[in-house]
Each structure stands twice: as structure tokens, then as C-alpha cells.
Amino acid sequence: MPSPRRFLAGLQTVRVWVALGVLAPLGMLLVSGLMLSELRREMWARADDTSRNLLRVIETDIVRNVEIMDLALQGMVAKLENPLVAAAPEGLRQLILFDHVVTAEGMGILVQFDEHGTGILNSRYPSGLGGSFSDRDYFQVHRRNPDAGLYISKPYESRMSGAYTVAFSRRVTKPDGSFGGVVVATLRLSHFARMLSKIGLGPDSSINLVRRDGIRIVRFPYDVRDVGTDVAGASNFQRVLQERSGRFVDYADRDGVQRLFTFTQVGDLPLILSIGLSTDEIEAGWRAKALMIGLTLLALFGLAVLLALLCGRELRRREAVEAELARLSVTDGLTGLPNRRRFDAALQQALGAARGDRPLALLIVDADHFKRFNDRYGHAVGDEILRGLARCLAAAIHRPHDLVCRIGGEEFAVILPDTDEEGAARVAERLHAEAATVAVASAGIPAGALTVSIGLAHTTSGGSQAEFYRAADAALYAAKSAGRNRTCRAETRPATPHLRLVAGADVVGTVSAP
């Protein structure tokens, strides 16, 4: 647990001040956002429930009307197939076929057509009015297909009343099985318009009744230009056709308004009913509240952040200075590598982690005959050589947790955690190769003129930092004594500490450790 002093010191940092200035209003913003999100979810849930309920009510009304007309049609077909009815006078057949229920105003008219499309009997108009209707789709369908059953026609303009109408028809079959005409019940589209106008939808919402082949029967708000249009190619209709019932949000193909579409197939009929509630109308009240709350919170948020930034400005400056001083305290000014202080701390940490399955290796690298370069070319060239050597040594180290440091003069150190003795020897070989590439063009010093001597120490059990460093340092001096430009490997055994001289990967000699 941190001490109170450390806790109070932490409160003085810039990040803490900025965090406090941001988190407080941000918390308010988050809570308000969650509340607004929940409010929006509830509004959409209400809209979904409303559209589903409306869909159910309208579907029930349509199914009931169609069932009434279909029962009337089936009754007409059954009566016409009775020989007694067929032989009765026209006036009597009129009374038998049409009653007061099916001739109600909202139900349109009932008509019997013969096999030629001529109206024989009519529940409202004189027989034969309008000529032949053999061109109508409801007539042609039954003439071609004896099993068509109940057929719902495309909307059309009635030749008798002039009103836009949809027809429901069934086939009449003669006693010999041949085509004997059709019976038709009509329904004016104004009936749908009156029914749908009682539903309080917004101006951008809509209701559509469409056949499964994509022919629109009616749309509300009613527009005569929508009657009979083909929407089979519309992407929204294709989705509705595949899913049969459900809901989704999309832009309408007709007017580009985004709506919540709720749809279903009407009973067992080849009809699809959909209600589209405008998303703008669904969210109108919510957006007004969200805008007001959002602007207020944003103003508070901006004010709090500004105050936090003003309070933390001086702390930021102080932290920047302290960070730069801390960096400089562990960085070598000449080469940019970590310095002796950073090396001591890193080596102590690495030794603490070293154990049997996590070995540790240390390389001490020293530039050979560096004093000669300084005496001959001057300290500026010597500094350039050290910078070049530092770049080469850093380039030879590839793992992120390895560390190259300058620990004094022309001496460098490489800490290699999780590295066994042979691995460290391979790294030493790379260091020799990289050091040979150092060149100073301004002084005419070619690549290969500089060599290094390396002392290698290895441990698998931690131990004393001073002893570990002395072992690597002793190995370095042994390498120099053996002629330089080579690696000497220090090896500690329980009874007899000794050193082995290594050139590349070959052991060339052994000397005692100091």
C-alpha cells in the first residue's frame, strides 16, 4: 500500500490534475449519456410496440373483410353450380345470389361473368354494363388456371364507377368441367384510405399493402400515383419478401425517408402489410432533450478541463524539467547510451532475477589502443570514434531487454538477461564484427582500424554485483594481456575460479581469476 506522503506527491502531478478535471464532468457526461441512451431505448421500444399493435389491428381488419368477400364468392359459386339456380329466371337468381350483407357500401359489388367476360348478374349495376371484362387479370388468371382459388387482382380504375378498385375473384366451373366464367367481389381503395386515416401517424410515416409479386395495392398517406406501382425491385421489398415478418430500420425507396419498418404477411393471403414510422418522429422528443443536456454538460466539461489545465500548467513545466534531469542523469552525454548509473541499477535488477532457468551474461567491451587515436588525431576524432563505436554496439544488440551502456572512457558494458554462456559468446563475436566497421572519414581512419577486447562473465545464481562485475572486468584485462581483439570468458567454479581465453568460439588458453 502506498504511503500517505507518496499519495500526496502523486496528487501534485499534471496527469492527476488533468484527470480529476476531466473525469468529474466526464462522469456526469457518462451518467447522463446512459440515461439518454435508456430513454432512447424506451422510445424505440414504445414505437416498436405501437407499430406491432397497429399492424395486428390492420391485418385483422383486412383478413376479416377478405374472408367475408371470399365466403360470399364461395356461396355464389356453390349456388351457380346448382342446376335449379342456373335454370331460375334472372330476377330470382339476383335475389338468390346477392343478399344485403355482401352488398353493403364498404364491400363494393358482386358480379358474375360468363366464359366470355360479359357481366351476367351484378349486385348494383344493370347486367352487361361495361362490356366485356375478359382483359382483366382476374378473368385471365382463372381461365388459364383451374386451381387458382381466391385471386386478388391488381388495382384498377373501375369502368362502371370510375373509382380505383381491387377485385377478389373465384372460378366458376361448368358441369362438364370446362371454364364457366368467374365471380368477382370488388373493394374500393377508398375503403382502405378511410380505415387507415383513423390511425394517427406522423406526416413522414407510411402504411403499405402490397401483393407478394410487388404490386402495390394502396399506400397511406393516399396518393393515386402509388396505386398499382411495381416495387418488386426495391431492396426493402426484397428483404420483406424473404423474412415474411419482422422489423428493420432503413431508408424508404420511394421518398428516401428513414423509417422503422414493421411488416407481416396478411394471414394466408398473398399480401404483405408494412408500417413505416419515421425515425425522426420517433426520436424528435428525445433529440431535443439530448441536445439541451448535451450542450450543458459540454459547457461544464470544457470549463472543468480549462481549470484543470490552468492548475496543472506549472506542474507540467516542473515535470518536464524533472523528466529531462532524470533522463540526463542516466544518459551518457557523448554517445547517448545509458551511463554508469543506469548500468549499476540494471545489473542489480538483472542479478536479482537470475536463477537456474534464467541465466545472465555480462560483456565488458574496451576499445583497443584508444589512447593512440586520441594522441594522434585529437580528442574530437576520439569522440567521433566513441560515438561510432556506440552506434555499432547498439546495432549488434537485437533483443529489447538487452542493454548497452557506456561505463567510462572507452569502456562499454552489455547486459544480456536470459542468455547462456555460448549465446553471450556469439553476441561477443557480433560486437567484434560491428566494431571493425567503425571509420572516421574526416581523419582518414578506415574501417577495420579499430578493434575491441571483451570480457565475458556468466552466472545462473545471482550473487554479488561487485563480484560479478569484477569477474567480467578481470576477463577483459586478460583479453588485453593476451594480445587484444579477442574475448576472454570468465568462469567461476566452486573451488577454483579461473578464466578461459576465447577467440571466436575456440578456447585458446586459461588463466586464474583475480
Side-chain angles (χ1 to χ4, degrees):
M1 175 178 279
S3 64
R5 180 177 298 177
R6 182 176 298 178
F7 176 75
L8 293 175
L11 290 178
Q12 297 177 2
T13 63
V14 176
R15 292 180 181 177
V16 170
W17 277 101
V18 173
L20 290 175
V22 172
L23 289 178
L26 193 60
M28 296 173 58
L29 189 63
L30 179 62
V31 172
S32 300
L34 292 175
M35 294 175 61
L36 288 173
S37 176
E38 180 63 19
L39 178 60
R40 183 176 183 270
R41 190 193 64 78
E42 291 177 357
M43 296 186 76
W44 274 91
R46 284 199 299 270
D48 186 39
D49 290 341
T50 299
S51 58
R52 289 179 185 275
N53 292 335
L54 288 176
L55 199 71
R56 194 157 38 244
V57 170
I58 298 172
E59 179 194 9
T60 301
D61 190 73
I62 293 174
V63 169
R64 183 175 62 252
N65 281 293
V66 174
E67 286 178 348
I68 291 173
M69 288 184 288
D70 191 31
L71 287 173
L73 293 175
Q74 293 181 49
M76 288 179 65
V77 170
K79 292 172 184 177
L80 290 172
E81 291 177 351
N82 188 318
L84 296 177
V85 175
E90 180 178 331
L92 181 58
R93 281 189 287 121
Q94 182 90 10
L95 292 174
I96 294 173
L97 294 178
F98 310 123
D99 58 39
H100 66 281
V101 175
V102 298
T103 57
E105 179 66 23
M107 303 308 299
I109 61 173
L110 295 173
V111 186
Q112 177 194 358
F113 294 99
D114 62 16
E115 64 269 27
H116 305 294
T118 302
I120 300 175
L121 291 175
N122 192 303
S123 64
R124 182 169 299 170
Y125 300 102
S127 300
L129 184 66
S132 174
F133 290 82
S134 61
D135 60 323
R136 296 294 195 194
D137 62 330
Y138 56 77
F139 185 86
Q140 296 176 7
V141 164
H142 290 295
R143 183 166 58 184
R144 292 193 304 267
N145 182 9
D147 300 320
L150 178 66
Y151 176 75
I152 303 175
S153 75
K154 297 179 180 179
Y156 60 89
E157 187 175 3
S158 174
R159 295 173 187 169
M160 291 181 284
S161 66
Y164 282 95
T165 307
V166 63
F168 301 82
S169 59
R170 281 190 174 274
R171 176 188 172 103
V172 177
T173 303
K174 291 182 178 181
D176 61 0
S178 62
F179 178 63
V182 297
V183 290
V184 175
T186 66
L187 188 64
R188 295 183 180 183
L189 299 187
S190 58
H191 171 74
F192 288 110
R194 286 194 301 271
M195 177 181 67
L196 300 179
S197 64
K198 299 175 183 179
I199 300 173
L201 294 180
D204 288 331
S205 298
S206 66
I207 303 175
N208 280 275
L209 182 63
V210 185
R211 296 198 320 183
R212 286 190 61 83
D213 61 357
I215 300 301
R216 179 186 277 132
I217 294 178
V218 68
R219 180 184 185 274
F220 184 83
Y222 181 77
D223 188 334
V224 71
R225 292 173 296 182
D226 295 321
V227 175
T229 56
D230 189 351
V231 298
S235 59
N236 286 346
F237 179 75
Q238 290 298 321
R239 180 172 180 179
V240 168
L241 199 62
Q242 292 176 2
E243 299 179 14
R244 298 177 67 90
S245 65
R247 62 185 288 275
F248 63 91
V249 176
D250 205 344
Y251 291 92
D253 297 287
R254 179 183 181 276
D255 52 18
V257 176
Q258 188 183 49
R259 295 185 174 94
L260 167 65
F261 291 100
T262 307
F263 57 93
T264 187
Q265 178 173 318
V266 180
D268 296 327
L269 303 174
L271 297 174
I272 295 175
L273 177 67
S274 69
I275 295 179
L277 299 182
S278 168
T279 56
D280 287 338
E281 294 172 356
I282 294 174
E283 296 185 347
W286 175 83
R287 287 178 179 174
K289 294 179 181 178
L291 180 62
M292 179 180 66
I293 295 174
L295 290 176
T296 303
L297 288 176
L298 283 177
L300 294 174
F301 182 82
L303 180 61
V305 171
L306 178 61
L307 291 175
L309 292 176
L310 290 176
C311 292
R313 183 173 56 183
E314 293 303 320
L315 292 176
R316 186 184 298 107
R317 292 177 180 174
R318 189 181 71 178
E319 282 191 355
V321 172
E322 291 176 351
E324 180 64 16
L325 291 175
R327 187 188 68 82
L328 292 175
S329 69
V330 294
T331 303
D332 178 61
L334 177 64
T335 62
L337 294 177
N339 61 12
R340 181 59 182 262
R341 176 181 294 181
R342 177 72 178 92
F343 166 76
D344 289 338
L347 183 59
Q348 182 64 41
Q349 182 178 3
L351 281 169
R355 53 185 181 273
D357 59 339
R358 298 191 63 186
L360 173 66
L362 174 64
L363 303 178
I364 305 296
V365 184
D366 188 84
D368 294 333
H369 304 297
F370 182 71
K371 187 175 184 302
R372 296 180 185 177
F373 289 103
N374 264 343
D375 293 342
R376 181 174 179 181
Y377 299 103
H379 289 282
V381 174
D383 290 346
E384 185 64 29
I385 292 175
L386 291 177
R387 282 192 289 267
L389 180 58
R391 288 192 296 270
C392 292
L393 296 180
I397 302 303
H398 305 304
R399 299 188 305 178
H401 56 280
D402 294 341
L403 183 67
V404 182
C405 304
R406 184 189 178 201
I407 57 177
E410 65 273 21
E411 197 169 285
F412 298 83
V414 181
I415 301 175
L416 301 171
D418 301 324
T419 304
D420 60 17
E421 193 172 7
E422 295 306 318
R426 289 193 294 271
V427 173
E429 290 178 10
R430 288 205 306 269
L431 298 182
H432 283 293
E434 289 289 340
T437 64
V438 176
V440 182
S442 61
I445 300 176
L450 180 67
T451 63
V452 294
S453 298
I454 302 176
L456 186 159
H458 176 262
T459 183
T460 57
S461 60
S464 167
Q465 177 178 349
E467 292 178 357
F468 190 51
Y469 178 79
R470 281 198 300 270
D473 194 49
L476 170 64
Y477 280 97
K480 285 185 172 293
S481 299
R484 294 182 170 81
N485 191 23
R486 66 195 63 213
T487 296
C488 181
R489 189 183 306 182
E491 186 175 281
T492 303
R493 293 182 177 175
T496 310
H498 66 280
L499 300 171
R500 290 184 298 170
L501 298 180
V502 179
D506 299 323
V507 178
V508 299
T510 304
V511 296
S512 297

